[in-house]
């Protein structure tokens, strides 16, 4: 009710009042009774709460680099994977979608690649509990690569996502913070007022961007010209498209196989209630999405989540519980059908006159892609995540805390290869794979938090704690083959042959950490963090490592000289940090000498074979991060600008070092004195124009300019990695030939003979390019007019990529493979100057060899830059006078679009995944409504 009492306060005391969303205020007591306090609403984003490691702060007082998106930004995007909501929203965070299938994963790279071979993905933490990455769980590792565990997380349950980037923000996580941290915080009810919220939408999706392929006339002309160029007559065994198949038939395989409409349905209901001391919320969600393939198969997810907050009457005890369960079922085909859209346009029809799969007329050269729809690949993923945070105030300024959690993911996979899906001409037998995999993880983190005033205008904060974590992985796989009836294909005992395998491994992690924070008058802030980690992935002598960081900031606009000069500039902060983080091996037991069972028994006796050499001397990779930044606020924080320069250097690299064959082992994991550097700039601008009559406008821009390069690699030129890495070049680079163009006299691709030995081979390799972006970022605009809200978000990338035609892996005419229409402009006569060489049907002649060399040259690199209208959202809030009579608190209708428009000159499919054989991202348009009671 707003009443409070302050017993024992000095008459000369000062009361400091702060609340999220309001401006801080200091009021002298002066013996007033009663004391009335009124706070003004704060419009500055600098005072918003930001989640950091083991606590919270504000942007104004933060010494580290933390990027953030909120539930308001997430809910405008029709995505099933919350990682998709990060694309283009954060400086220094580069996110790419693996493919356009429902449930697909995303690659996240925070400020570049630090490790040569040991993984560069960030650590994900949900409500204090480490979450699993995409590569950790699947037994069979489905061929479609569309079963990301993040697809089990409902984006509408998320309150905010913070990404920690620099040493000050990440070093307290030690080795786990080497490649950045992604903190996901779920929604918790902070009000006791009962509320029921219902949110439903439905959507439709199409492929974003593809290439146009040759029609039948041009395709047959290409094939005939290829044979004529080689002086060879087409034969039945190699040219059924010219001799056996209908010369007038035309099938647009792109339209047939990936031209469908994906459909998405999402339904969410949540209820929250409570009182001043206890609040809870409960939500349930159902999500379904199909693909653009000619099938209704896709993915389905059901989830429930619960949160409970409680505070004791005396405010000394606090508890927060979060629990969620989700079950996701994926039923996509085993293969991505995109790889078949380049089939000849006159290939046999998919069904015969009886409506059955057609196998006739094609023989060995015709693989009916529709048959893949009969090869079921089902994955059922069950996820359970629980977290509990408790704290108790022992003394004034001294609290004891404990965070704990449990995370479990169980995946059951079935992959079927029935007889009905195979060409009957080869007397096929059915086969099936059955697999289960599970990961269980628990974590416990006790902490002691102490804060006190130092003098009259300074505060000191101390946090110490420890971490105990254990993760266990189990998997079982059964390969069954020789089925003679598809009716029995799900029965293991009905198979003629059965092979099985299982796996178990355990990971343990222990650490102690501390953080010391000193704040003088909210002007000078110093932050010290330290951590000592121990990991079971190292040998006994190398289990532990020490890490830490120092960060500081100076809000110089609080100085007297700045206040006197203040006018336009009202906020200015200089910030810097330096620290050391580490990186451990990605897999368990790498230091042990291990043995594995042989595939086939010896004399009917199971046997073992050595698979790894013992080496307990490798240690942590060491990553040193340095950053300097300036943050400025103008016109009462209506305009905010920040610029950050960062540099990280990683050495003591963990690599699988190649061994001579006579050792009996191909590699051994060891430390190598290689050094990798990431350096760059992050620029951010946000504008809040406030109210202009009935119109409000907010805008933000972020740009990242970064460079990755290998600084040191002793003996690189003589090692087996000489064609994989180069000093001064990015880790993600390519070596190959220097392309000279199409010889106008011969019509053949030509390459530079660098060593002048009259041969074109790997000795002529040199650096040819990298797919790392030159810069990337996003532009966001929000316009509000009365009850109408419009969000517009663009993302952009400046980069090079592989020309889509060369991504097909061969040359026009060689195989029964259609090509994009661009190849019509090719060399035909002496003196012609075109991008593409003459056609051939023989991969062994000079033209065929040149086509094989071409993808390994700089001739295939092209501009793959793009600007994408990533998200467009329009919502209308119904006026209160319309809905209050129906006891409705709020009611809005909205439509949103993801990947709506792509502007690019890229020659190929979508410039994001740049693959001619992988489904591009989907353009999804949704229509929905949200009602709150």
């Amino acid at each position: 009710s707003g009443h409070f009492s302050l017993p024992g306060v000095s008459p000369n005391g000062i009361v400091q009042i702060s609340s999220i969303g309001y401006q801080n205020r200091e009021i002298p007591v002066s013996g007033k009774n009663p004391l009335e306090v009124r706070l003004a609403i704060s419009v500055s984003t600098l005072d918003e709460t930001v989640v950091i490691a083991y606590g919270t702060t504000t942007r104004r007082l933060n010494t580290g680099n933390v990027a953030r998106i909120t539930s308001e930004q997430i809910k405008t995007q029709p995505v099933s994977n919350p990682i998709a909501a990060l694309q283009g929203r954060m400086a220094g965070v580069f996110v790419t979608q693996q493919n356009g299938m429902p449930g697909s994963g995303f690659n996240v790279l925070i400020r570049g690649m630090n490790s040569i071979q040991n993984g560069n993905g960030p650590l994900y933490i949900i409500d204090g509990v480490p979450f699993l990455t995409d590569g950790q769980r699947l037994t069979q590792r489905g061929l479609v690569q569309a079963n990301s565990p993040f697809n089990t997380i409902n984006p509408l349950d998320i309150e905010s996502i913070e990404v920690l980037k620099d040493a000050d923000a990440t070093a307290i996580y030690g080795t786990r913070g080497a490649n950045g941290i992604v903190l996901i915080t779920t929604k918790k009810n902070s009000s006791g007022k009962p509320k029921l919220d219902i949110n439903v939408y439905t959507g439709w999706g199409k492929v974003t961007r593809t290439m146009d392929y040759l029609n039948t006339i041009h395709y047959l002309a290409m094939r005939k010209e290829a044979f004529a160029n080689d002086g060879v007559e087409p034969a039945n065994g190699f040219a059924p498209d010219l001799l056996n198949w209908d010369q007038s038939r035309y099938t647009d395989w792109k339209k047939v196989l990936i031209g469908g409409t994906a459909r998405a349905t999402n339904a969410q209901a949540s209820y929250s209630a409570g009182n001043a001391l206890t609040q809870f919320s409960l939500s349930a969600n159902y999500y379904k999405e199909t693909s653009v393939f000619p099938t209704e198969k896709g993915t389905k997810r059901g989830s429930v989540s619960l949160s409970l907050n409680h505070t004791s009457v005396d405010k000394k005890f606090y508890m927060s519980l979060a629990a969620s369960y989700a079950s996701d079922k994926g039923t996509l085909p085993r293969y991505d059908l995109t790889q078949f859209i380049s089939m000849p346009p006159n290939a046999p029809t998919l069904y015969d006159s009886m409506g059955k799969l057609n196998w006739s007329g094609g023989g060995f050269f015709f693989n009916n892609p529709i048959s893949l729809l009969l090869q079921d690949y089902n994955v059922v993923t069950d996820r359970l995540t629980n977290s509990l945070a408790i704290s108790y105030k022992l003394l004034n300024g001294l609290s004891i805390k404990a965070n704990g959690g449990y995370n479990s993911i169980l995946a059951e996979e079935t992959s079927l290869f029935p007889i009905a899906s195979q060409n009957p001409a080869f007397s096929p037998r059915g086969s099936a794979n059955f697999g289960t995999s599970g990961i269980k993880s628990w974590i416990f983190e006790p902490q002691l938090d102490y804060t006190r005033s130092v003098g009259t205008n300074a505060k000191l904060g101390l946090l110490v704690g420890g971490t105990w974590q254990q993760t266990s992985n189990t998997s079982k796989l059964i390969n069954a083959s020789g089925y003679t009836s598809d009716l029995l294909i799900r029965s293991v005992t009905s198979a003629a042959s059965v092979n099985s395998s299982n796996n178990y491994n355990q990971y343990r992690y222990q650490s102690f950490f501390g953080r010391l924070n000193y704040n003088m008058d909210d002007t000078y802030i110093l932050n010290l963090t330290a951590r000592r980690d121990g990991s079971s992935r190292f040998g006994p002598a190398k289990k532990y490592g020490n890490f830490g960081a120092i960060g500081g900031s100076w809000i110089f606009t609080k100085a007297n000289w700045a206040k006197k000069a203040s006018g336009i500039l009202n906020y200015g902060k200089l910030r810097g940090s330096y620290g050391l983080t580490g990186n451990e091996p990605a897999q368990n037991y790498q230091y042990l000498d291990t043995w594995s069972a042989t595939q086939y028994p010896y004399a009917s006796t199971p046997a073992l074979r050595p698979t790894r050499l013992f080496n307990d001397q490798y240690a942590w990779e060491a990553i040193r991060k340095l950053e300097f930044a300036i943050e400025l606020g103008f016109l009462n924080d209506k305009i905010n600008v920040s610029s950050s320069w960062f540099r990280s250097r990683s050495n003591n690299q963990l690599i699988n070092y190649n061994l001579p064959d006579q050792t009996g082992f191909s590699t051994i994991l060891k430390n190598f004195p290689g050094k990798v550097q990431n350096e760059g700039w992050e620029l951010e601008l946000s504008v809040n124009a406030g109210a202009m009559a009935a119109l409000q406008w907010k805008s933000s821009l972020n740009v990242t300019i970064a460079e990755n390069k290998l600084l040191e690699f002793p003996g690189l030129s003589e090692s087996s990695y000489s064609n994989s890495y180069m000093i001064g070049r990015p880790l993600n680079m390519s070596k190959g030939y220097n392309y000279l163009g199409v010889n106008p006299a011969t019509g053949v691709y030509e390459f530079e003979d660098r060593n002048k030995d009259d041969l074109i081979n790997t000795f002529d390799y040199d650096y040819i390019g990298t797919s790392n972006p030159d810069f990337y970022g996003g532009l966001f605009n929000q316009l509000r007019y009365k009850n109408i809200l419009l969000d517009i978000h663009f993302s952009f990338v400046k980069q090079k990529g592989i020309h889509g035609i060369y991504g097909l892996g061969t040359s026009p005419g060689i195989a029964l493979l259609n090509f994009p229409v661009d190849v019509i402009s090719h060399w035909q006569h002496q003196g012609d100057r075109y991008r593409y060489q003459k056609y051939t049907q023989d991969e062994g002649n000079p033209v065929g060899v040149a086509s094989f060399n071409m993808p390994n040259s700089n001739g295939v690199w092209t501009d793959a830059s793009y600007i994408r209208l990533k998200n467009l959202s329009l919502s209308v809030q119904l006026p209160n006078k319309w809905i209050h009579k129906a006891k409705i608190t709020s009611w809005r209708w909205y439509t949103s679009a993801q990947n709506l428009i792509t502007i690019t000159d890229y020659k190929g499919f979508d410039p994001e995944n740049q693959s001619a054989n992988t489904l591009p991202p989907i353009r999804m348009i949704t229509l929905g409504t949200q009602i709150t009671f």
Side-chain angles (χ1 to χ4, degrees):
S1 60
H3 299 298
F4 62 92
S5 61
L6 302 172
V9 175
S10 168
N12 298 322
I14 300 294
V15 181
Q16 296 178 333
I17 305 100
S18 63
S19 180
I20 296 174
Y22 294 85
Q23 296 179 9
N24 296 348
R25 189 176 176 188
E26 294 184 354
I27 299 178
V29 176
S30 303
K32 294 181 180 179
N33 190 15
L35 184 66
E36 183 176 295
V37 179
R38 296 180 182 273
L39 299 184
I41 295 177
S42 173
V43 297
S44 174
T45 59
L46 297 175
D47 297 310
E48 292 179 351
T49 299
V50 175
V51 178
I52 58 173
Y54 307 107
T56 60
T57 184
T58 64
R59 286 185 57 194
R60 186 185 302 274
L61 303 179
N62 191 14
T63 56
N65 194 320
V66 180
R68 181 174 187 258
I69 65 169
T70 65
S71 59
E72 293 299 312
Q73 295 166 308
I74 296 173
K75 74 178 185 179
T76 63
Q77 304 183 64
V79 295
S80 62
N81 188 324
I83 304 303
L86 303 181
Q87 280 191 297
R89 298 270 180 173
M90 298 176 172
V93 182
F94 190 55
V95 182
T96 54
Q97 187 171 353
Q98 294 175 355
N99 57 63
M101 288 177 282
S104 69
F106 288 78
N107 298 318
V108 179
L109 199 60
I110 300 175
R111 291 185 166 180
M113 302 172 64
N114 292 300
S115 182
I116 293 178
Q117 294 183 356
N118 200 39
N120 290 280
L123 170 69
Y124 298 91
I125 297 178
I126 302 178
D127 292 330
V129 181
F131 193 66
L132 313 174
T133 58
D134 284 2
Q136 284 184 291
R137 67 179 190 93
L138 290 179
T139 302
Q140 301 181 47
R141 299 191 182 277
L143 299 171
V144 293
Q145 296 298 310
N147 302 297
S148 168
F150 286 99
N151 207 50
T152 64
I153 301 174
N154 176 22
L156 297 180
D157 285 339
I158 295 175
E159 179 63 32
S160 67
I161 301 177
E162 274 87 0
V163 175
L164 316 184
K165 296 180 282 187
D166 72 325
D168 179 76
T170 62
I172 197 169
Y173 283 107
T175 60
R176 299 184 299 171
N179 300 310
I181 312 291
V182 178
L183 301 178
I184 299 176
T185 304
T186 58
K187 292 180 178 178
K188 298 173 180 60
N189 183 27
S190 59
S191 170
K193 183 180 179 180
K195 182 175 70 173
L196 175 64
D197 186 89
I198 298 174
N199 192 342
V200 180
Y201 72 74
T202 185
W204 304 266
K206 302 286 285 187
V207 169
T208 51
R209 191 174 184 275
T210 59
M211 295 183 289
D212 293 326
Y213 282 79
L214 299 174
N215 60 25
T216 302
I217 295 175
H218 288 116
Y219 168 80
L220 294 177
M222 174 188 70
R223 288 280 286 162
K224 292 175 181 178
E225 184 178 330
F227 278 95
N229 287 343
D230 297 338
V232 177
E233 287 294 327
N236 288 334
F238 300 97
D241 53 339
L242 298 178
L243 301 177
N244 298 338
W245 298 350
D246 189 341
Q247 304 292 289
S248 62
R249 180 170 49 231
Y250 171 71
T251 303
D252 185 351
W253 295 113
K254 184 178 64 174
K255 181 178 180 180
V256 171
L257 299 178
I258 63 171
T261 300
R263 289 177 172 81
T265 301
N266 187 81
Q268 166 102 354
S270 62
Y271 178 76
S272 59
N275 53 39
L277 300 179
T278 305
Q279 306 90 34
F280 79 91
S281 64
L282 177 67
S283 68
N285 175 263
Y286 173 78
Y287 181 83
K288 177 182 178 181
E289 183 180 350
T290 62
S291 72
V292 295
F293 301 148
T295 176
E296 292 300 314
K297 296 178 180 180
T299 184
K300 299 178 182 178
R301 178 190 67 219
S303 65
V304 293
S305 62
L306 169 70
S307 73
L308 175 66
N309 302 326
H310 174 71
T311 305
S312 63
V313 176
D314 60 6
K315 306 298 181 180
K316 290 186 176 182
F317 176 78
Y318 174 78
M319 179 194 73
S320 177
L321 171 69
S324 65
Y325 170 78
S327 182
D328 179 83
K329 182 177 182 180
T331 58
L332 287 167
R334 294 175 71 244
Y335 295 91
D336 185 345
L337 298 186
T338 310
Q339 62 186 303
F340 297 98
I341 65 173
S342 55
M343 289 196 311
N346 68 329
T349 57
L350 301 179
Y351 298 95
D352 60 20
S353 59
M354 302 296 293
K356 297 182 179 181
L357 290 181
N358 180 26
W359 297 102
S360 63
F364 178 77
F365 295 96
F366 179 59
N367 184 12
N368 194 325
I370 296 300
S371 66
L372 299 177
L373 301 180
L374 302 179
Q375 298 175 9
D376 289 344
Y377 177 65
N378 299 332
V379 186
V380 179
T381 306
D382 295 319
R383 176 187 59 83
L384 175 65
T385 302
N386 300 307
S387 66
L388 176 65
I390 58 176
S391 66
Y392 184 79
K393 187 176 182 180
L394 297 173
L395 301 170
N396 186 27
L398 179 62
S399 298
I400 185 171
K401 301 179 179 181
N403 297 332
Y406 175 78
N407 195 43
S408 172
I409 287 188
L410 175 65
E412 296 187 0
E413 302 174 76
T414 303
S415 179
L416 305 180
F417 197 60
I419 298 172
S421 69
Q422 303 174 60
N423 192 333
F426 302 105
S427 302
R429 294 290 184 268
S431 62
N433 298 323
F434 307 94
T436 61
S437 61
I439 295 183
K440 297 180 180 179
S441 176
W442 60 261
I443 189 171
F444 176 64
E445 295 184 306
Q447 302 162 43
L448 196 65
D449 192 0
Y450 176 68
T451 58
R452 62 164 294 174
S453 298
V454 181
T456 59
N457 60 349
K459 290 181 288 186
L460 183 68
L462 176 65
L463 174 70
V464 293
T467 298
W468 284 265
Q469 180 184 348
Q470 176 178 297
T471 302
S472 59
N473 300 258
T474 59
S475 64
K476 297 179 181 179
L477 178 62
I478 298 175
N479 300 311
S481 59
Y483 288 99
T484 57
S485 171
D486 287 344
L487 296 176
L488 302 174
I489 198 169
R490 294 181 181 271
S491 171
V492 177
T493 57
S494 300
S497 175
V498 176
N499 291 315
S500 62
S501 62
N502 67 332
N503 176 68
Y504 173 82
N505 63 79
Q506 187 184 84
Y507 166 66
R508 288 187 173 183
Y509 176 84
Q510 173 186 311
S511 69
F512 299 96
F513 59 86
R515 176 169 60 209
L516 180 66
N517 181 268
Y518 179 75
N519 182 333
M520 178 182 289
D521 196 27
D522 288 349
T523 302
Y524 302 98
I525 305 171
L526 180 67
N527 203 48
L528 301 174
T529 58
R531 190 175 186 112
R532 179 171 174 81
D533 283 345
S535 171
S536 64
R537 290 175 178 169
F538 294 92
K542 303 289 185 179
K543 282 188 180 298
Y544 294 94
N546 300 317
F547 311 95
I550 179 172
S553 66
W554 173 34
I555 303 178
F556 58 83
T557 45
K558 298 201 70 173
N560 290 330
W561 60 267
K563 291 179 180 178
K564 294 178 181 179
S566 63
I568 297 177
L569 178 67
N570 63 277
Y571 169 74
K573 180 171 76 173
L574 295 175
R575 175 174 54 80
S577 66
Y578 177 78
L580 173 68
T581 60
N583 201 11
E584 62 182 352
Q587 297 180 345
N588 299 323
Y589 312 131
Q590 295 295 294
Y591 67 92
L592 293 175
D593 50 341
T594 56
W595 297 72
S596 299
T598 57
Q599 184 176 1
Y600 303 103
Y602 176 76
S604 300
T605 302
L608 297 175
R609 61 182 178 87
T611 53
R612 185 183 297 117
L613 278 173
F614 178 80
N615 177 24
D616 65 345
Q617 294 304 306
Y618 61 78
W620 313 83
E621 290 185 352
I623 303 174
R624 291 170 172 81
K625 300 180 179 180
L626 176 66
E627 174 166 337
F628 295 104
I630 184 171
E631 300 175 8
L632 303 173
F634 301 91
L635 302 176
N636 293 323
D637 297 333
K638 290 183 178 180
I639 301 176
N640 289 280
V641 181
S642 68
S643 175
S644 305
W645 172 85
F646 65 87
R647 188 189 72 192
S648 66
R649 287 181 174 175
S650 175
N651 58 12
N652 209 31
Q653 294 283 326
L654 282 168
I655 68 171
N656 287 302
Y657 192 77
N658 291 328
L659 296 175
D661 292 340
Q662 56 265 36
T663 64
F665 300 88
S666 58
T667 62
I668 186 172
L669 186 66
K670 62 174 290 186
N671 290 111
F672 193 80
K675 182 179 291 186
V676 178
Q677 175 177 287
N678 289 285
E679 184 178 20
W681 289 87
E682 294 175 1
L683 307 173
E684 296 178 279
L685 169 67
S686 63
V687 178
N688 183 359
M692 295 180 293
L695 179 67
Q696 293 181 334
W697 171 56
K698 294 181 181 179
S699 181
S700 63
L701 170 72
N702 71 81
V703 180
T704 302
I705 306 170
E707 180 185 38
N708 169 265
K709 61 183 176 181
L710 180 64
L711 295 181
E712 299 176 9
F713 196 115
L716 176 60
S717 59
E718 292 80 27
S719 74
S720 58
Y721 299 105
S722 60
N723 282 330
S724 300
Y725 308 109
M726 289 183 69
I727 302 299
R729 298 297 188 181
L731 294 182
N732 186 22
M733 67 115 207
S734 296
K735 291 187 73 174
Y737 307 113
N738 182 32
Y739 174 62
L740 301 178
V742 176
N743 187 313
T746 63
V748 181
Y749 295 140
E750 287 192 323
F751 309 93
E752 182 182 357
D753 181 12
R754 288 192 173 98
N755 62 359
K756 309 302 180 183
D757 62 354
D758 296 326
L759 296 173
I760 299 298
N761 50 40
T762 56
F763 294 106
D764 298 309
Y765 273 10
D766 200 356
Y767 175 77
I768 58 174
T770 178
S771 59
N772 288 350
D774 296 329
F775 63 83
Y776 58 91
L779 174 64
F780 174 77
N781 281 280
Q782 183 182 86
L783 298 171
R784 183 187 294 274
Y785 180 75
K786 295 183 178 180
N787 292 333
I788 302 174
L789 182 65
L790 176 65
D791 290 321
I792 307 172
H793 175 219
F794 288 92
S795 63
F796 53 85
V797 180
K798 172 64 175 177
Q799 64 183 0
K800 294 288 186 179
I802 303 298
H803 194 293
I805 291 178
Y806 301 113
L808 294 173
T810 187
S811 183
I814 286 182
L816 276 73
L817 191 69
N818 201 2
F819 273 80
V821 295
D822 281 14
V823 301
I824 293 178
S825 300
H826 67 284
W827 188 97
Q828 290 180 288
H829 307 287
Q830 198 171 39
D832 285 350
R833 295 185 180 275
Y834 289 105
R835 180 185 182 97
Y836 305 107
Q837 68 176 0
K838 66 180 181 180
Y839 298 153
T840 184
Q841 52 80 46
D842 184 2
E843 60 184 8
N845 65 22
V847 185
V849 172
S851 70
F852 176 79
N853 289 333
M854 186 63 174
N856 298 317
S857 77
N858 55 8
V860 302
W861 288 90
T862 185
D863 185 14
S865 305
Y866 65 93
I867 300 174
R868 171 167 286 162
L869 180 50
K870 189 63 184 177
N871 180 253
L872 179 67
S873 175
L874 176 66
S875 64
V876 178
Q877 192 82 29
L878 299 185
N880 291 337
K881 62 181 180 180
W882 295 4
I883 60 177
H884 279 183
K885 292 182 179 180
K887 306 298 181 181
I888 298 175
T889 304
S890 67
W891 190 352
R892 74 181 182 103
W893 288 85
Y894 61 89
T895 181
S896 59
Q898 196 81 352
N899 301 323
L900 188 60
I901 300 173
T902 302
I903 304 172
T904 181
D905 291 329
Y906 175 61
K907 296 294 184 181
F909 271 49
D910 192 90
E912 183 175 334
N913 62 5
Q914 299 179 24
S915 174
N917 298 312
T918 303
L919 188 69
I922 297 297
R923 177 187 300 112
M924 182 67 70
I925 299 175
T926 63
L927 176 65
T929 186
Q930 182 180 11
I931 307 176
T932 303
F933 299 91

